Amino acid sequence: MTLEELDDGALVELTRQGSTEAYAALYDRYVYSARRLARHLGQRDESDDVVSDAFAQIFGLLQRGKGPDSAFRAYLFTAVRHECGRRAKAVKRVVPTDDDTVIDSAVPFGAGELDSFERNAVRAAYESLPERWRTVLWQLDVEGRKPQELAEALGLKPNSVSALVYRARAGLREAYLQQHVSSTDDSAGQACLFVREHFAAVVRRTASRRDQEKVHAHLETCRACMAVYLDLQEVNGEVSAVAVGAGERSATVTPIRRATAVTTAG
């Protein structure tokens, strides 16, 4: 089994044992998503430095037997948040100070612009759906109406309405995933951009066999796209876990409420 095939926990343990190759595998796996987070937290010009510092801090902790045990991604994102917060405060500071504890104070989890990014991602995903899908999602999942109530208005049978909302929910999840793939990465070539446009469909297993083969063939030779793909798989796993734990309808209600609340308020 190669390092790329090991889970985060195994790579963390190998890093603690002195394997720099294992930590490099973790770096390749999450550097894209960490940079994206840093940019959305206001550190667009310094995102590379922020991420490098965060990885370096965690590496130092692991070498001392500290740091994360298994939830490496969450730990890394927290480190990126703290570093972004430290830099933002340093820029705003007018009066010089030697008190490092003031500058290095932690940014509370959930406070900052990541929440704004998620809201915008949900809104963009919802608005990208066909109008018929948006209507049925809102009426059934938010307003709580029944398929038979909408059947006449939509000119469909109740069973057809149920099938329509199933497709709409799947479409919303796929569109939400695609929002996490940057389409403005200057370092990505045309082949990378083509492949990344199909990532969400491949992860959700809705892409054609031909597109799946193209994507996987590209991933075998492009580590940058592999990092993006692995991150999207992680996000998809989180979305799926919510859907399983909360139920199909309740898992859809919250994102739609967020999306439409922003839309109607604006």
PDB file of all heavy atoms in Angstrom, residues 127-146:
ATOM      1  N   GLU A 127     -29.152  28.568  -6.786  1.00  0.00           N
ATOM      2  CA  GLU A 127     -29.552  29.418  -7.905  1.00  0.00           C
ATOM      3  C   GLU A 127     -29.154  28.832  -9.249  1.00  0.00           C
ATOM      4  O   GLU A 127     -29.693  29.230 -10.281  1.00  0.00           O
ATOM      5  CB  GLU A 127     -28.947  30.813  -7.743  1.00  0.00           C
ATOM      6  CG  GLU A 127     -29.534  31.583  -6.568  1.00  0.00           C
ATOM      7  CD  GLU A 127     -28.931  32.973  -6.430  1.00  0.00           C
ATOM      8  OE1 GLU A 127     -27.834  33.199  -7.013  1.00  0.00           O
ATOM      9  OE2 GLU A 127     -29.531  33.817  -5.750  1.00  0.00           O
ATOM     10  N   SER A 128     -28.212  27.892  -9.253  1.00  0.00           N
ATOM     11  CA  SER A 128     -27.800  27.271 -10.520  1.00  0.00           C
ATOM     12  C   SER A 128     -28.775  26.194 -10.978  1.00  0.00           C
ATOM     13  O   SER A 128     -28.701  25.736 -12.120  1.00  0.00           O
ATOM     14  CB  SER A 128     -26.401  26.653 -10.365  1.00  0.00           C
ATOM     15  OG  SER A 128     -26.437  25.481  -9.559  1.00  0.00           O
ATOM     16  N   LEU A 129     -29.681  25.795 -10.104  1.00  0.00           N
ATOM     17  CA  LEU A 129     -30.628  24.734 -10.445  1.00  0.00           C
ATOM     18  C   LEU A 129     -31.720  25.260 -11.387  1.00  0.00           C
ATOM     19  O   LEU A 129     -32.044  26.447 -11.370  1.00  0.00           O
ATOM     20  CB  LEU A 129     -31.285  24.180  -9.182  1.00  0.00           C
ATOM     21  CG  LEU A 129     -30.366  23.534  -8.142  1.00  0.00           C
ATOM     22  CD1 LEU A 129     -31.204  23.084  -6.943  1.00  0.00           C
ATOM     23  CD2 LEU A 129     -29.595  22.366  -8.738  1.00  0.00           C
ATOM     24  N   PRO A 130     -32.313  24.384 -12.174  1.00  0.00           N
ATOM     25  CA  PRO A 130     -33.465  24.792 -12.993  1.00  0.00           C
ATOM     26  C   PRO A 130     -34.590  25.318 -12.092  1.00  0.00           C
ATOM     27  O   PRO A 130     -34.728  24.896 -10.942  1.00  0.00           O
ATOM     28  CB  PRO A 130     -33.890  23.487 -13.683  1.00  0.00           C
ATOM     29  CG  PRO A 130     -32.655  22.637 -13.680  1.00  0.00           C
ATOM     30  CD  PRO A 130     -31.937  22.973 -12.408  1.00  0.00           C
ATOM     31  N   GLU A 131     -35.368  26.246 -12.630  1.00  0.00           N
ATOM     32  CA  GLU A 131     -36.420  26.874 -11.832  1.00  0.00           C
ATOM     33  C   GLU A 131     -37.401  25.842 -11.270  1.00  0.00           C
ATOM     34  O   GLU A 131     -37.855  25.963 -10.134  1.00  0.00           O
ATOM     35  CB  GLU A 131     -37.177  27.891 -12.681  1.00  0.00           C
ATOM     36  CG  GLU A 131     -38.261  28.629 -11.905  1.00  0.00           C
ATOM     37  CD  GLU A 131     -38.963  29.669 -12.759  1.00  0.00           C
ATOM     38  OE1 GLU A 131     -38.574  29.837 -13.935  1.00  0.00           O
ATOM     39  OE2 GLU A 131     -39.899  30.305 -12.248  1.00  0.00           O
ATOM     40  N   ARG A 132     -37.712  24.829 -12.040  1.00  0.00           N
ATOM     41  CA  ARG A 132     -38.656  23.800 -11.595  1.00  0.00           C
ATOM     42  C   ARG A 132     -38.114  23.063 -10.377  1.00  0.00           C
ATOM     43  O   ARG A 132     -38.862  22.751  -9.443  1.00  0.00           O
ATOM     44  CB  ARG A 132     -38.910  22.812 -12.742  1.00  0.00           C
ATOM     45  CG  ARG A 132     -40.135  21.918 -12.580  1.00  0.00           C
ATOM     46  CD  ARG A 132     -40.337  21.141 -13.864  1.00  0.00           C
ATOM     47  NE  ARG A 132     -41.487  20.267 -13.841  1.00  0.00           N
ATOM     48  CZ  ARG A 132     -42.722  20.631 -14.151  1.00  0.00           C
ATOM     49  NH1 ARG A 132     -42.978  21.886 -14.492  1.00  0.00           N
ATOM     50  NH2 ARG A 132     -43.717  19.755 -14.135  1.00  0.00           N
ATOM     51  N   TRP A 133     -36.800  22.801 -10.356  1.00  0.00           N
ATOM     52  CA  TRP A 133     -36.179  22.138  -9.210  1.00  0.00           C
ATOM     53  C   TRP A 133     -36.208  23.040  -7.989  1.00  0.00           C
ATOM     54  O   TRP A 133     -36.490  22.596  -6.875  1.00  0.00           O
ATOM     55  CB  TRP A 133     -34.736  21.749  -9.543  1.00  0.00           C
ATOM     56  CG  TRP A 133     -34.629  20.566 -10.460  1.00  0.00           C
ATOM     57  CD1 TRP A 133     -35.641  19.970 -11.151  1.00  0.00           C
ATOM     58  CD2 TRP A 133     -33.441  19.842 -10.776  1.00  0.00           C
ATOM     59  NE1 TRP A 133     -35.156  18.918 -11.889  1.00  0.00           N
ATOM     60  CE2 TRP A 133     -33.816  18.812 -11.683  1.00  0.00           C
ATOM     61  CE3 TRP A 133     -32.110  19.963 -10.392  1.00  0.00           C
ATOM     62  CZ2 TRP A 133     -32.875  17.914 -12.196  1.00  0.00           C
ATOM     63  CZ3 TRP A 133     -31.173  19.075 -10.910  1.00  0.00           C
ATOM     64  CH2 TRP A 133     -31.561  18.056 -11.800  1.00  0.00           C
ATOM     65  N   ARG A 134     -35.894  24.322  -8.194  1.00  0.00           N
ATOM     66  CA  ARG A 134     -35.907  25.258  -7.062  1.00  0.00           C
ATOM     67  C   ARG A 134     -37.305  25.341  -6.454  1.00  0.00           C
ATOM     68  O   ARG A 134     -37.468  25.367  -5.237  1.00  0.00           O
ATOM     69  CB  ARG A 134     -35.443  26.651  -7.509  1.00  0.00           C
ATOM     70  CG  ARG A 134     -33.995  26.715  -7.966  1.00  0.00           C
ATOM     71  CD  ARG A 134     -33.466  28.137  -7.947  1.00  0.00           C
ATOM     72  NE  ARG A 134     -34.298  29.059  -8.702  1.00  0.00           N
ATOM     73  CZ  ARG A 134     -34.133  29.348  -9.984  1.00  0.00           C
ATOM     74  NH1 ARG A 134     -33.167  28.739 -10.679  1.00  0.00           N
ATOM     75  NH2 ARG A 134     -34.904  30.216 -10.597  1.00  0.00           N
ATOM     76  N   THR A 135     -38.312  25.382  -7.307  1.00  0.00           N
ATOM     77  CA  THR A 135     -39.696  25.495  -6.834  1.00  0.00           C
ATOM     78  C   THR A 135     -40.090  24.291  -5.987  1.00  0.00           C
ATOM     79  O   THR A 135     -40.634  24.427  -4.890  1.00  0.00           O
ATOM     80  CB  THR A 135     -40.652  25.631  -8.025  1.00  0.00           C
ATOM     81  OG1 THR A 135     -40.339  26.828  -8.755  1.00  0.00           O
ATOM     82  CG2 THR A 135     -42.093  25.683  -7.549  1.00  0.00           C
ATOM     83  N   VAL A 136     -39.818  23.102  -6.509  1.00  0.00           N
ATOM     84  CA  VAL A 136     -40.252  21.901  -5.800  1.00  0.00           C
ATOM     85  C   VAL A 136     -39.466  21.717  -4.500  1.00  0.00           C
ATOM     86  O   VAL A 136     -40.012  21.270  -3.488  1.00  0.00           O
ATOM     87  CB  VAL A 136     -40.135  20.662  -6.713  1.00  0.00           C
ATOM     88  CG1 VAL A 136     -38.696  20.220  -6.896  1.00  0.00           C
ATOM     89  CG2 VAL A 136     -40.977  19.520  -6.177  1.00  0.00           C
ATOM     90  N   LEU A 137     -38.188  22.078  -4.488  1.00  0.00           N
ATOM     91  CA  LEU A 137     -37.403  21.976  -3.251  1.00  0.00           C
ATOM     92  C   LEU A 137     -37.946  22.924  -2.180  1.00  0.00           C
ATOM     93  O   LEU A 137     -38.084  22.548  -1.020  1.00  0.00           O
ATOM     94  CB  LEU A 137     -35.926  22.299  -3.535  1.00  0.00           C
ATOM     95  CG  LEU A 137     -35.115  21.213  -4.235  1.00  0.00           C
ATOM     96  CD1 LEU A 137     -33.730  21.738  -4.566  1.00  0.00           C
ATOM     97  CD2 LEU A 137     -35.012  19.968  -3.365  1.00  0.00           C
ATOM     98  N   TRP A 138     -38.238  24.134  -2.598  1.00  0.00           N
ATOM     99  CA  TRP A 138     -38.736  25.100  -1.623  1.00  0.00           C
ATOM    100  C   TRP A 138     -40.107  24.680  -1.081  1.00  0.00           C
ATOM    101  O   TRP A 138     -40.333  24.700   0.133  1.00  0.00           O
ATOM    102  CB  TRP A 138     -38.823  26.493  -2.249  1.00  0.00           C
ATOM    103  CG  TRP A 138     -39.434  27.500  -1.322  1.00  0.00           C
ATOM    104  CD1 TRP A 138     -40.714  27.965  -1.317  1.00  0.00           C
ATOM    105  CD2 TRP A 138     -38.782  28.116  -0.214  1.00  0.00           C
ATOM    106  NE1 TRP A 138     -40.904  28.852  -0.295  1.00  0.00           N
ATOM    107  CE2 TRP A 138     -39.731  28.965   0.404  1.00  0.00           C
ATOM    108  CE3 TRP A 138     -37.496  28.045   0.303  1.00  0.00           C
ATOM    109  CZ2 TRP A 138     -39.425  29.730   1.523  1.00  0.00           C
ATOM    110  CZ3 TRP A 138     -37.195  28.817   1.408  1.00  0.00           C
ATOM    111  CH2 TRP A 138     -38.156  29.642   2.010  1.00  0.00           C
ATOM    112  N   GLN A 139     -40.997  24.323  -1.959  1.00  0.00           N
ATOM    113  CA  GLN A 139     -42.361  23.999  -1.548  1.00  0.00           C
ATOM    114  C   GLN A 139     -42.423  22.753  -0.658  1.00  0.00           C
ATOM    115  O   GLN A 139     -43.140  22.730   0.339  1.00  0.00           O
ATOM    116  CB  GLN A 139     -43.243  23.796  -2.785  1.00  0.00           C
ATOM    117  CG  GLN A 139     -43.481  25.057  -3.590  1.00  0.00           C
ATOM    118  CD  GLN A 139     -44.242  26.105  -2.814  1.00  0.00           C
ATOM    119  OE1 GLN A 139     -45.096  25.794  -1.980  1.00  0.00           O
ATOM    120  NE2 GLN A 139     -43.940  27.370  -3.072  1.00  0.00           N
ATOM    121  N   LEU A 140     -41.650  21.719  -0.997  1.00  0.00           N
ATOM    122  CA  LEU A 140     -41.709  20.478  -0.235  1.00  0.00           C
ATOM    123  C   LEU A 140     -40.800  20.495   0.987  1.00  0.00           C
ATOM    124  O   LEU A 140     -41.225  20.133   2.087  1.00  0.00           O
ATOM    125  CB  LEU A 140     -41.345  19.281  -1.130  1.00  0.00           C
ATOM    126  CG  LEU A 140     -42.541  18.581  -1.808  1.00  0.00           C
ATOM    127  CD1 LEU A 140     -43.175  19.515  -2.837  1.00  0.00           C
ATOM    128  CD2 LEU A 140     -42.106  17.289  -2.478  1.00  0.00           C
ATOM    129  N   ASP A 141     -39.557  20.917   0.821  1.00  0.00           N
ATOM    130  CA  ASP A 141     -38.587  20.790   1.907  1.00  0.00           C
ATOM    131  C   ASP A 141     -38.621  21.940   2.903  1.00  0.00           C
ATOM    132  O   ASP A 141     -38.243  21.775   4.053  1.00  0.00           O
ATOM    133  CB  ASP A 141     -37.168  20.674   1.337  1.00  0.00           C
ATOM    134  CG  ASP A 141     -36.928  19.315   0.699  1.00  0.00           C
ATOM    135  OD1 ASP A 141     -37.635  18.367   1.078  1.00  0.00           O
ATOM    136  OD2 ASP A 141     -36.055  19.202  -0.166  1.00  0.00           O
ATOM    137  N   VAL A 142     -39.058  23.103   2.460  1.00  0.00           N
ATOM    138  CA  VAL A 142     -39.093  24.258   3.363  1.00  0.00           C
ATOM    139  C   VAL A 142     -40.514  24.570   3.807  1.00  0.00           C
ATOM    140  O   VAL A 142     -40.780  24.723   4.994  1.00  0.00           O
ATOM    141  CB  VAL A 142     -38.448  25.497   2.700  1.00  0.00           C
ATOM    142  CG1 VAL A 142     -38.512  26.694   3.640  1.00  0.00           C
ATOM    143  CG2 VAL A 142     -36.997  25.203   2.314  1.00  0.00           C
ATOM    144  N   GLU A 143     -41.424  24.656   2.858  1.00  0.00           N
ATOM    145  CA  GLU A 143     -42.814  24.964   3.200  1.00  0.00           C
ATOM    146  C   GLU A 143     -43.532  23.753   3.790  1.00  0.00           C
ATOM    147  O   GLU A 143     -44.577  23.892   4.431  1.00  0.00           O
ATOM    148  CB  GLU A 143     -43.568  25.466   1.965  1.00  0.00           C
ATOM    149  CG  GLU A 143     -43.036  26.779   1.401  1.00  0.00           C
ATOM    150  CD  GLU A 143     -43.256  27.952   2.354  1.00  0.00           C
ATOM    151  OE1 GLU A 143     -44.110  27.831   3.251  1.00  0.00           O
ATOM    152  OE2 GLU A 143     -42.570  28.976   2.197  1.00  0.00           O
ATOM    153  N   GLY A 144     -42.967  22.561   3.563  1.00  0.00           N
ATOM    154  CA  GLY A 144     -43.556  21.364   4.154  1.00  0.00           C
ATOM    155  C   GLY A 144     -44.784  20.837   3.444  1.00  0.00           C
ATOM    156  O   GLY A 144     -45.551  20.052   4.015  1.00  0.00           O
ATOM    157  N   ARG A 145     -44.990  21.238   2.206  1.00  0.00           N
ATOM    158  CA  ARG A 145     -46.149  20.750   1.461  1.00  0.00           C
ATOM    159  C   ARG A 145     -45.929  19.320   1.003  1.00  0.00           C
ATOM    160  O   ARG A 145     -44.804  18.835   0.935  1.00  0.00           O
ATOM    161  CB  ARG A 145     -46.428  21.668   0.267  1.00  0.00           C
ATOM    162  CG  ARG A 145     -46.706  23.110   0.679  1.00  0.00           C
ATOM    163  CD  ARG A 145     -46.973  23.987  -0.520  1.00  0.00           C
ATOM    164  NE  ARG A 145     -48.205  23.613  -1.200  1.00  0.00           N
ATOM    165  CZ  ARG A 145     -48.634  24.220  -2.303  1.00  0.00           C
ATOM    166  NH1 ARG A 145     -47.925  25.208  -2.847  1.00  0.00           N
ATOM    167  NH2 ARG A 145     -49.772  23.836  -2.870  1.00  0.00           N
ATOM    168  N   LYS A 146     -46.996  18.635   0.675  1.00  0.00           N
ATOM    169  CA  LYS A 146     -46.958  17.243   0.258  1.00  0.00           C
ATOM    170  C   LYS A 146     -46.953  17.157  -1.272  1.00  0.00           C
ATOM    171  O   LYS A 146     -47.465  18.051  -1.954  1.00  0.00           O
ATOM    172  CB  LYS A 146     -48.170  16.485   0.808  1.00  0.00           C
ATOM    173  CG  LYS A 146     -48.288  16.537   2.331  1.00  0.00           C
ATOM    174  CD  LYS A 146     -47.102  15.874   3.006  1.00  0.00           C
ATOM    175  CE  LYS A 146     -47.261  15.900   4.529  1.00  0.00           C
ATOM    176  NZ  LYS A 146     -46.072  15.293   5.198  1.00  0.00           N
TER     177      LYS A 146
END
